[in-house]
Amino acid sequence: MKAAVWFRKSLVILVSVLTFGLVTPSDLAWLAEADSLKDTKKGIVEEEGLAYLPSQDSTELEEEFNREEFLSDILNKAEENAFMKFGDKINPKIGDEFKMVILPKMEEAITEMAAQFPDEKLRQLTITEQPSAGRAEKIFHIYDSNSGKDIIRFHVRQENPPLEGHWFDFHYHTYHDSFATHYNIGKIYWDKNTPPEWTGKQKLS
């Protein structure tokens, strides 16, 4: 580019000599300035073109996983499932004790379970939406949404020890031993009469 500019200037000088001064030095200055301005504008256009290239980083950013929010959501759904299972016959009698005694231990077990997984694995976990009805034990399970395999299962069993009346036994099982071990959470007393069946079909308002 510099060689071409020098060639043009030399050509103008040669023309000026051959035309005996009809082309003045001011004409030469104007031509040189025009060449310089042209190069400057080209540089600006090239820089602006680079400045307006889209940033790949801005288009590839993903929403950051929030472990605390994820756990809070799981714990809220766990509580909802429990009261859905109790229904409007069992809940009025054991609901308060469940919140004070059983629910905090459930939350502790879920938090300990979550600590075993890195974020990319934890975000794949989800909770079942429907507790079982009748006399079945299931409150909720937490499972891997990719594989469909359970990670931890929370259950409640209705028990009737001799001469002790009826109890609700809350416990959980984990995948570590293929859900064989019964991890105790706590018990809530009902009374001497047989408790109603679990509802497990609709959420309480």
Side-chain angles (χ1 to χ4, degrees):
M1 181 63 70
K2 291 183 178 180
V5 172
W6 182 87
F7 176 75
R8 286 197 299 270
K9 291 181 178 180
S10 299
L11 184 60
V12 170
I13 293 171
L14 180 60
V15 170
S16 177
V17 171
L18 293 177
T19 57
F20 301 102
L22 293 177
V23 178
T24 64
S26 61
D27 296 325
L28 295 176
W30 181 83
L31 289 171
E33 184 179 352
D35 285 336
S36 177
L37 183 60
K38 181 179 178 181
D39 292 339
T40 302
K41 286 183 177 179
K42 183 177 180 181
I44 292 174
V45 169
E46 289 177 349
E47 290 179 3
E48 288 180 347
L50 291 174
Y52 286 100
L53 286 175
S55 171
Q56 290 184 340
D57 292 339
S58 62
T59 59
E60 293 177 358
L61 288 176
E62 295 182 1
E63 184 178 354
E64 186 177 355
F65 176 70
N66 189 308
R67 179 176 284 260
E68 288 71 24
E69 288 182 3
F70 174 83
L71 281 175
S72 177
D73 186 52
I74 288 288
L75 295 174
N76 287 336
K77 290 179 180 177
E79 183 177 358
E80 287 180 7
N81 274 22
F83 285 105
M84 189 192 312
K85 184 175 182 68
F86 298 161
D88 57 6
K89 292 182 179 179
I90 295 178
N91 179 50
K93 188 166 183 176
I94 73 166
D96 289 342
E97 188 172 355
F98 172 80
K99 282 187 175 181
M100 289 187 297
V101 178
I102 305 300
L103 188 59
K105 293 182 179 180
M106 277 187 171
E107 293 177 348
E108 182 179 347
I110 293 172
T111 301
E112 289 178 357
M113 175 275 300
Q116 302 170 20
F117 294 89
D119 287 354
E120 61 270 19
K121 296 292 185 182
L122 184 63
R123 69 192 308 165
Q124 297 174 8
L125 303 187
T126 189
I127 186 171
T128 53
E129 298 291 336
Q130 188 69 42
S132 58
R135 300 293 177 187
E137 295 185 10
K138 175 184 173 184
I139 305 174
F140 62 88
H141 296 171
I142 295 176
Y143 65 97
D144 187 318
S145 59
N146 285 350
S147 67
K149 295 181 178 180
D150 288 344
I151 302 298
I152 188 168
R153 299 172 179 173
F154 286 86
H155 293 170
V156 56
R157 181 170 60 200
Q158 296 183 2
E159 296 182 342
N160 182 24
L163 304 177
E164 290 187 20
H166 293 267
W167 293 78
F168 297 130
D169 179 345
F170 294 88
H171 57 279
Y172 66 93
H173 311 270
T174 76
Y175 75 102
H176 291 296
D177 60 357
S178 300
F179 310 101
T181 302
H182 179 121
Y183 294 95
N184 183 59
I185 297 176
K187 294 184 179 183
I188 296 179
Y189 180 71
W190 175 252
D191 63 27
K192 293 183 179 180
N193 298 317
T194 302
E197 293 185 350
W198 305 115
T199 301
K201 293 183 180 180
Q202 60 183 5
K203 293 183 180 180
L204 300 177
S205 59

